PDB file of all heavy atoms in Angstrom:
ATOM      1  N   LEU A  20     120.549  96.689  99.569  1.00  0.00           N
ATOM      2  CA  LEU A  20     120.523  96.722 101.037  1.00  0.00           C
ATOM      3  C   LEU A  20     120.345  98.147 101.551  1.00  0.00           C
ATOM      4  O   LEU A  20     119.599  98.391 102.487  1.00  0.00           O
ATOM      5  CB  LEU A  20     121.808  96.118 101.606  1.00  0.00           C
ATOM      6  CG  LEU A  20     121.887  94.593 101.613  1.00  0.00           C
ATOM      7  CD1 LEU A  20     123.287  94.117 101.975  1.00  0.00           C
ATOM      8  CD2 LEU A  20     120.888  94.007 102.608  1.00  0.00           C
ATOM      9  N   ARG A  26     113.791 101.167  94.951  1.00  0.00           N
ATOM     10  CA  ARG A  26     114.321 102.517  94.833  1.00  0.00           C
ATOM     11  C   ARG A  26     115.722 102.529  94.234  1.00  0.00           C
ATOM     12  O   ARG A  26     116.408 103.545  94.274  1.00  0.00           O
ATOM     13  CB  ARG A  26     114.308 103.206  96.202  1.00  0.00           C
ATOM     14  CG  ARG A  26     112.890 103.300  96.776  1.00  0.00           C
ATOM     15  CD  ARG A  26     112.884 103.866  98.170  1.00  0.00           C
ATOM     16  NE  ARG A  26     113.051 105.302  98.225  1.00  0.00           N
ATOM     17  CZ  ARG A  26     112.086 106.178  97.968  1.00  0.00           C
ATOM     18  NH1 ARG A  26     110.899 105.754  97.632  1.00  0.00           N
ATOM     19  NH2 ARG A  26     112.307 107.462  98.058  1.00  0.00           N
ATOM     20  N   SER A 122     110.775  81.021 104.414  1.00  0.00           N
ATOM     21  CA  SER A 122     110.049  80.039 105.220  1.00  0.00           C
ATOM     22  C   SER A 122     110.977  78.955 105.751  1.00  0.00           C
ATOM     23  O   SER A 122     110.869  78.537 106.899  1.00  0.00           O
ATOM     24  CB  SER A 122     108.925  79.421 104.390  1.00  0.00           C
ATOM     25  OG  SER A 122     107.977  78.813 105.226  1.00  0.00           O
ATOM     26  N   GLN A 150     105.158  79.100 119.520  1.00  0.00           N
ATOM     27  CA  GLN A 150     105.110  80.337 120.305  1.00  0.00           C
ATOM     28  C   GLN A 150     106.505  80.684 120.835  1.00  0.00           C
ATOM     29  O   GLN A 150     106.933  81.836 120.767  1.00  0.00           O
ATOM     30  CB  GLN A 150     104.125  80.200 121.479  1.00  0.00           C
ATOM     31  CG  GLN A 150     102.653  80.172 121.073  1.00  0.00           C
ATOM     32  CD  GLN A 150     102.071  81.554 120.773  1.00  0.00           C
ATOM     33  OE1 GLN A 150     102.782  82.551 120.703  1.00  0.00           O
ATOM     34  NE2 GLN A 150     100.763  81.595 120.565  1.00  0.00           N
ATOM     35  N   ASP A 154     108.625  83.966 119.881  1.00  0.00           N
ATOM     36  CA  ASP A 154     109.147  84.845 120.939  1.00  0.00           C
ATOM     37  C   ASP A 154     110.625  85.145 120.699  1.00  0.00           C
ATOM     38  O   ASP A 154     111.055  86.299 120.692  1.00  0.00           O
ATOM     39  CB  ASP A 154     109.024  84.172 122.318  1.00  0.00           C
ATOM     40  CG  ASP A 154     107.598  84.088 122.803  1.00  0.00           C
ATOM     41  OD1 ASP A 154     106.742  84.828 122.275  1.00  0.00           O
ATOM     42  OD2 ASP A 154     107.331  83.279 123.709  1.00  0.00           O
ATOM     43  N   ASP A 171     117.453 106.989 118.329  1.00  0.00           N
ATOM     44  CA  ASP A 171     116.912 108.343 118.429  1.00  0.00           C
ATOM     45  C   ASP A 171     116.977 108.867 119.857  1.00  0.00           C
ATOM     46  O   ASP A 171     117.116 110.064 120.087  1.00  0.00           O
ATOM     47  CB  ASP A 171     115.447 108.339 117.957  1.00  0.00           C
ATOM     48  CG  ASP A 171     114.854 109.738 117.899  1.00  0.00           C
ATOM     49  OD1 ASP A 171     115.522 110.625 117.341  1.00  0.00           O
ATOM     50  OD2 ASP A 171     113.747 109.942 118.417  1.00  0.00           O
ATOM     51  N   ARG A 187     121.343  92.372 125.270  1.00  0.00           N
ATOM     52  CA  ARG A 187     120.238  91.454 124.945  1.00  0.00           C
ATOM     53  C   ARG A 187     120.706  90.015 124.735  1.00  0.00           C
ATOM     54  O   ARG A 187     119.890  89.095 124.782  1.00  0.00           O
ATOM     55  CB  ARG A 187     119.485  91.955 123.700  1.00  0.00           C
ATOM     56  CG  ARG A 187     118.691  93.218 123.965  1.00  0.00           C
ATOM     57  CD  ARG A 187     117.882  93.689 122.762  1.00  0.00           C
ATOM     58  NE  ARG A 187     116.673  92.912 122.526  1.00  0.00           N
ATOM     59  CZ  ARG A 187     115.555  93.014 123.249  1.00  0.00           C
ATOM     60  NH1 ARG A 187     115.494  93.840 124.258  1.00  0.00           N
ATOM     61  NH2 ARG A 187     114.505  92.272 122.957  1.00  0.00           N
ATOM     62  N   ARG A 190     119.975  88.911 128.098  1.00  0.00           N
ATOM     63  CA  ARG A 190     118.602  89.210 128.500  1.00  0.00           C
ATOM     64  C   ARG A 190     117.581  88.286 127.836  1.00  0.00           C
ATOM     65  O   ARG A 190     116.670  87.782 128.495  1.00  0.00           O
ATOM     66  CB  ARG A 190     118.296  90.662 128.132  1.00  0.00           C
ATOM     67  CG  ARG A 190     116.889  91.102 128.484  1.00  0.00           C
ATOM     68  CD  ARG A 190     116.625  92.551 128.081  1.00  0.00           C
ATOM     69  NE  ARG A 190     115.273  92.943 128.436  1.00  0.00           N
ATOM     70  CZ  ARG A 190     114.917  93.326 129.648  1.00  0.00           C
ATOM     71  NH1 ARG A 190     115.813  93.388 130.611  1.00  0.00           N
ATOM     72  NH2 ARG A 190     113.661  93.645 129.905  1.00  0.00           N
TER      73      ARG A 190
ATOM     74  N   ASP B  25     106.134 102.074  96.825  1.00  0.00           N
ATOM     75  CA  ASP B  25     106.976 102.067  95.627  1.00  0.00           C
ATOM     76  C   ASP B  25     106.408 101.231  94.495  1.00  0.00           C
ATOM     77  O   ASP B  25     106.776 101.416  93.342  1.00  0.00           O
ATOM     78  CB  ASP B  25     108.381 101.557  95.974  1.00  0.00           C
ATOM     79  CG  ASP B  25     109.095 102.517  96.911  1.00  0.00           C
ATOM     80  OD1 ASP B  25     108.885 103.739  96.771  1.00  0.00           O
ATOM     81  OD2 ASP B  25     109.846 102.047  97.780  1.00  0.00           O
ATOM     82  N   SER B 122     108.910 107.855 115.743  1.00  0.00           N
ATOM     83  CA  SER B 122     109.647 107.972 116.992  1.00  0.00           C
ATOM     84  C   SER B 122     108.736 108.355 118.149  1.00  0.00           C
ATOM     85  O   SER B 122     108.854 107.839 119.257  1.00  0.00           O
ATOM     86  CB  SER B 122     110.759 108.996 116.838  1.00  0.00           C
ATOM     87  OG  SER B 122     111.706 108.835 117.862  1.00  0.00           O
ATOM     88  N   GLN B 150     114.827  98.488 127.556  1.00  0.00           N
ATOM     89  CA  GLN B 150     114.877  97.063 127.215  1.00  0.00           C
ATOM     90  C   GLN B 150     113.492  96.423 127.370  1.00  0.00           C
ATOM     91  O   GLN B 150     113.047  95.668 126.496  1.00  0.00           O
ATOM     92  CB  GLN B 150     115.891  96.327 128.119  1.00  0.00           C
ATOM     93  CG  GLN B 150     117.354  96.659 127.826  1.00  0.00           C
ATOM     94  CD  GLN B 150     117.921  95.919 126.613  1.00  0.00           C
ATOM     95  OE1 GLN B 150     117.184  95.280 125.852  1.00  0.00           O
ATOM     96  NE2 GLN B 150     119.219  96.033 126.409  1.00  0.00           N
ATOM     97  N   ASP B 154     111.312  94.812 124.402  1.00  0.00           N
ATOM     98  CA  ASP B 154     110.807  93.435 124.527  1.00  0.00           C
ATOM     99  C   ASP B 154     109.323  93.381 124.179  1.00  0.00           C
ATOM    100  O   ASP B 154     108.891  92.574 123.357  1.00  0.00           O
ATOM    101  CB  ASP B 154     110.974  92.933 125.972  1.00  0.00           C
ATOM    102  CG  ASP B 154     112.427  92.651 126.338  1.00  0.00           C
ATOM    103  OD1 ASP B 154     113.254  92.514 125.422  1.00  0.00           O
ATOM    104  OD2 ASP B 154     112.712  92.567 127.547  1.00  0.00           O
ATOM    105  N   ASP B 171     102.246  79.718 107.051  1.00  0.00           N
ATOM    106  CA  ASP B 171     102.792  78.711 106.140  1.00  0.00           C
ATOM    107  C   ASP B 171     102.730  77.317 106.761  1.00  0.00           C
ATOM    108  O   ASP B 171     102.594  76.323 106.070  1.00  0.00           O
ATOM    109  CB  ASP B 171     104.235  79.064 105.788  1.00  0.00           C
ATOM    110  CG  ASP B 171     104.821  78.134 104.743  1.00  0.00           C
ATOM    111  OD1 ASP B 171     104.144  77.918 103.725  1.00  0.00           O
ATOM    112  OD2 ASP B 171     105.938  77.618 104.945  1.00  0.00           O
ATOM    113  N   ARG B 187      98.639  84.993 122.427  1.00  0.00           N
ATOM    114  CA  ARG B 187      99.746  85.855 122.837  1.00  0.00           C
ATOM    115  C   ARG B 187      99.293  87.016 123.730  1.00  0.00           C
ATOM    116  O   ARG B 187     100.121  87.633 124.398  1.00  0.00           O
ATOM    117  CB  ARG B 187     100.481  86.403 121.596  1.00  0.00           C
ATOM    118  CG  ARG B 187     101.268  85.336 120.857  1.00  0.00           C
ATOM    119  CD  ARG B 187     102.044  85.873 119.673  1.00  0.00           C
ATOM    120  NE  ARG B 187     103.260  86.574 120.021  1.00  0.00           N
ATOM    121  CZ  ARG B 187     104.369  86.000 120.437  1.00  0.00           C
ATOM    122  NH1 ARG B 187     104.417  84.696 120.578  1.00  0.00           N
ATOM    123  NH2 ARG B 187     105.439  86.726 120.729  1.00  0.00           N
ATOM    124  N   ARG B 190     100.114  85.388 126.865  1.00  0.00           N
ATOM    125  CA  ARG B 190     101.486  84.902 126.910  1.00  0.00           C
ATOM    126  C   ARG B 190     102.507  86.027 127.081  1.00  0.00           C
ATOM    127  O   ARG B 190     103.428  85.932 127.874  1.00  0.00           O
ATOM    128  CB  ARG B 190     101.778  84.147 125.605  1.00  0.00           C
ATOM    129  CG  ARG B 190     103.187  83.628 125.485  1.00  0.00           C
ATOM    130  CD  ARG B 190     103.426  82.917 124.164  1.00  0.00           C
ATOM    131  NE  ARG B 190     104.785  82.391 124.093  1.00  0.00           N
ATOM    132  CZ  ARG B 190     105.140  81.242 124.656  1.00  0.00           C
ATOM    133  NH1 ARG B 190     104.252  80.519 125.298  1.00  0.00           N
ATOM    134  NH2 ARG B 190     106.397  80.829 124.579  1.00  0.00           N
TER     135      ARG B 190
END
Side-chain angles (χ1 to χ4, degrees):
Chain A
L20 282 170
R26 300 175 77 78
S122 198
Q150 289 281 9
D154 289 342
D171 186 48
R187 290 183 76 76
R190 179 181 180 81
Chain B
D25 294 325
S122 198
Q150 289 281 10
D154 288 342
D171 185 48
R187 290 183 77 74
R190 178 181 182 82

